[in-house]
Amino acid sequence: MSGGSGVAEHGRRRIDEIGEESRRRILDAAEELFADRGFERTSFVDIAKRSGISRGSIPWHFRNKDGLLMAVLARAMDRFLPPERYQRSLPSLATLLLDYESWARSGNSALIFMVLTEAMGSTGAVRGQYQEFFETRRRRVVQWLRAQRPAGAGGGADDRERAAAVALNGAVMGIHLQSLVDPEVDLEAALQSLAALVDTNLAVVWGGTRDP
């Protein structure tokens, strides 16, 4: 009986491994195609051909195309700002932006701007998915700020942290976009300059004053 149980357990693990591999291949293909063609012009048939996974398997993993888009964006987010980073030690902003720089040079980072262009002209699912993506980014920046908030922070710190998350998110994306358009832009230097500026002014976020 124990031998049969072991075989069954091995079989379940193998099925899980196959499922994870299929999911990864679908995500890889979707990320490439969304970056190349945009969300609206990419079909499940296109993704199936690129991934080598049957078309019918895609909704099984992601339910629909909107769910697939969200999974692609969420995976992109986790590459440079994984939530478990806060469970070990608090990384510096310079470290986080180095992670972002590595991801931005990965080849498909233009995806977020390709999809954003569609989201700005849409009132449907793409816009909603992108709003969720931005909300996730801002929420993680707020978590990073809150984890180092001093005990004597002034009133309204929650609102200022949320505003700072919007500003920081916008600055990072703006630098990234400039580097994609203009090869003369030094992405690493610009991001590290941003980190230094934020570090110098963090006291203002918590209701303090900036050092003269």
Side-chain angles (χ1 to χ4, degrees):
M1 293 292 291
S2 60
S5 176
V7 170
E9 180 63 26
H10 175 75
R12 283 193 295 273
R13 285 201 304 269
R14 180 58 182 152
I15 290 171
D16 289 342
E17 289 169 3
I18 293 171
E20 284 302 310
E21 173 65 13
S22 296
R23 180 182 173 86
R24 183 192 64 76
R25 287 167 59 183
I26 293 167
L27 286 170
D28 287 347
E31 182 175 315
E32 292 170 4
L33 288 166
F34 290 163
D36 290 343
R37 304 179 184 179
F39 176 75
E40 297 293 349
R41 293 188 298 277
T42 299
S43 69
F44 275 1
V45 172
D46 298 325
I47 295 167
K49 288 179 179 177
R50 179 71 64 93
S51 67
I53 304 298
S54 70
R55 183 200 178 287
S57 295
I58 300 174
W60 185 83
H61 283 284
F62 302 100
R63 194 168 69 175
N64 54 37
K65 194 176 170 187
D66 299 333
L68 175 57
L69 173 63
M70 197 63 229
V72 168
L73 293 175
R75 188 176 69 159
M77 182 72 192
D78 285 342
R79 284 177 183 153
F80 75 92
L81 203 56
E84 63 269 15
R85 292 293 293 271
Y86 307 106
Q87 297 172 6
R88 300 192 297 269
S89 60
L90 188 69
S92 67
L93 182 58
T95 297
L96 291 175
L97 293 183
L98 280 175
D99 290 347
Y100 185 92
E101 186 223 348
S102 296
W103 171 75
R105 297 186 187 281
S106 66
N108 289 327
S109 66
L111 165 73
I112 60 173
F113 299 104
M114 293 285 291
V115 180
L116 177 58
T117 301
E118 296 185 46
M120 289 172 64
S122 169
T123 57
V126 178
R127 191 181 188 93
Q129 297 287 5
Y130 221 88
Q131 285 175 335
E132 186 175 342
F133 172 68
F134 275 134
E135 286 170 7
T136 300
R137 287 181 63 142
R138 292 193 296 267
R139 185 166 58 249
R140 293 190 187 175
V141 173
V142 167
Q143 288 173 341
W144 177 80
L145 287 166
R146 196 155 297 165
Q148 54 191 312
R149 182 196 290 181
D158 285 355
D159 290 339
R160 287 192 297 275
E161 284 168 351
R162 285 191 289 269
V166 173
L168 182 55
N169 185 51
V172 170
M173 288 195 70
I175 292 169
H176 183 185
L177 179 58
Q178 290 180 74
S179 73
L180 289 171
V181 173
D182 185 354
E184 295 299 315
V185 171
D186 187 329
L187 178 61
E188 179 180 356
L191 289 173
Q192 291 308 302
S193 177
L194 175 63
L197 287 170
V198 172
D199 287 342
T200 301
N201 292 278
L202 269 180
V204 177
V205 175
W206 293 307
T209 57
R210 186 176 60 186
D211 293 335

